[in-house]
């Protein structure tokens, strides 16, 4: 069964009817959105940061400074940026959106992704959401990455294109896995749809996802897109885990 964008729209509207707008954190009906004081608790990400992966720096170390991880081994994507830090505060925002059908924060989410991702969005051709496998998409009713990418395309230049990349193999959840296990779990899970190959050649792609944890999923997608001819693949997520690299032993 092919789920078209039209069916996705209907599914999303149905979700809105079942789950009326609520505060993403408290669930209170009267707020109808995310309370402004909650945003005061969220740690937004911006420069100064690692030029490649966007890891936030406390001090400005120069435009092209790299974090410890990227200095040792560059990721498969060219650059990565995220709107805010994934922590105890923002977890509720993200999980409410991802699993609770609470899409009322989308416009604000997209605005923060545009702010944090201005460098990667410049000159990009397509916003490509990290795809879900069909079985999970049906179960979850929507792909949260596609909703983010579509909302972002409305306020930025690159075109929303959910038809380039597919997840042909169902993968189990990345939650609770080590970095190495996450890499193995998504290895070979993605492929490029045949009709997308001509427009992918030499294209500048921005991958869109909700959270970057170790980056394993985004790296698997980036490798797939580059093998198929993309010139540049960046990653832009709503949130990211900010964890310093362990010190060498
Ligand atoms: Zn880095």
């Amino acid at each position: 069964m092919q789920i078209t964008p039209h069916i996705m729209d209907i599914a999303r509207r149905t979700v809105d009817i079942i789950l009326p707008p609520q505060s993403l954190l408290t669930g209170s009906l009267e707020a109808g959105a995310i309370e402004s004081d909650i945003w005061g608790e969220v740690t937004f990400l911006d420069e100064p940061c690692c030029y490649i992966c966007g890891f936030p720096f406390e001090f400005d170390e120069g435009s092209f400074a790299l974090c410890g991880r990227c200095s040792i081994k560059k990721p498969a994507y060219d650059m990565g940026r995220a709107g805010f830090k994934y922590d105890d505060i923002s977890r509720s925002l993200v999980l409410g959106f991802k699993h609770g059908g609470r899409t009322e924060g989308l416009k604000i989410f997209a605005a923060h992704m545009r702010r944090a991702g201005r460098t990667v969005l410049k000159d990009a051709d397509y916003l490509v959401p990290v795809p879900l496998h069909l079985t999970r998409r049906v179960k979850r009713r929507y792909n949260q990455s596609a909703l983010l990418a579509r909302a972002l395309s409305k306020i930025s230049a690159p075109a929303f294109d959910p038809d380039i990349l597919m997840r042909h193999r169902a993968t189990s959840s990345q939650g609770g896995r080590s970095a190495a296990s996450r890499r193995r779990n998504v290895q070979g899970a993605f492929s490029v749809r045949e009709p997308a190959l001509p427009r992918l050649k030499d294209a500048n792609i921005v991958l869109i996802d909700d959270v970057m944890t170790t980056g394993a999923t985004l790296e698997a997608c980036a490798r797939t897109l580059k093998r198929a001819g993309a010139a540049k693949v960046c990653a832009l997520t709503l949130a990211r885990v900010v964890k310093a690299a362990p010190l060498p032993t």
Side-chain angles (χ1 to χ4, degrees):
M1 182 180 69
Q2 179 72 32
I3 297 185
T4 64
H6 177 64
I7 294 174
M8 283 285 287
D9 277 346
I10 293 171
R12 192 171 59 83
R13 282 199 294 273
T14 309
V15 166
D16 285 345
I17 294 164
I18 298 166
L19 301 164
Q22 295 176 333
S23 158
L24 279 168
L25 287 180
T26 65
S28 62
L29 278 169
E30 72 281 4
I34 304 160
E35 297 90 336
S36 53
D37 57 334
I38 296 303
W39 286 114
E41 301 288 316
V42 171
T43 304
F44 295 107
L45 298 176
D46 209 324
E47 293 169 354
C49 63
C50 169
Y51 177 71
I52 294 181
C53 76
F55 184 89
F57 292 152
E58 213 165 315
F59 304 103
D60 192 349
E61 298 178 39
S63 303
F64 300 102
L66 302 185
C67 72
R69 280 180 206 273
C70 293
S71 306
I72 295 167
K73 189 174 185 292
K74 289 183 173 55
Y77 52 81
D78 292 280
M79 290 172 83
R81 295 292 184 268
F84 49 77
K85 183 180 172 184
Y86 188 69
D87 55 17
D88 290 340
I89 296 287
S90 64
R91 185 178 296 121
S92 308
L93 288 172
V94 173
L95 295 185
F97 168 57
K98 188 172 180 171
H99 300 293
R102 297 181 175 181
T103 57
E104 71 275 17
L106 259 179
K107 275 189 181 172
I108 304 175
F109 293 162
H112 281 293
M113 289 173 78
R114 183 180 62 172
R115 171 191 55 74
R118 58 193 179 278
T119 315
V120 301
L121 291 169
K122 202 168 62 181
D123 305 325
D125 299 305
Y126 300 108
L127 300 177
V128 175
V130 169
L132 290 179
H133 188 259
L134 182 64
T135 51
R136 185 162 299 178
R137 196 167 37 165
V138 168
K139 202 170 151 192
R140 197 179 284 170
R141 300 176 292 182
Y142 59 91
N143 176 1
Q144 73 282 358
S145 304
L147 294 186
L148 287 170
R150 192 172 56 177
L152 185 57
S153 74
K154 289 178 182 167
I155 55 168
S156 61
F160 169 54
D161 197 328
D163 299 318
I164 288 181
L165 198 59
M166 63 182 287
R167 192 186 296 236
H168 60 257
R169 180 166 64 76
T171 52
S172 54
S173 167
Q174 294 280 70
R177 289 175 178 269
S178 67
S181 172
R182 280 170 178 261
R183 271 197 302 278
R184 280 195 302 273
N185 191 36
V186 290
Q187 207 168 22
F190 300 96
S191 54
V192 167
R193 291 178 198 273
E194 193 83 28
L197 285 171
R199 66 180 184 277
L200 190 58
K201 192 172 166 19
D202 300 326
N204 180 348
I205 302 288
V206 178
L207 277 166
I208 303 292
D209 206 0
D210 52 357
V211 182
M212 179 163 82
T213 308
T214 63
T217 302
L218 291 161
E219 290 207 70
C221 290
R223 276 189 211 100
T224 303
L225 291 166
K226 286 194 171 183
R227 269 200 300 265
K232 186 177 178 186
V233 181
C234 294
L236 178 56
T237 58
L238 175 59
R240 67 161 285 164
V241 170
V242 176
K243 209 166 131 190
L247 292 168
T249 52

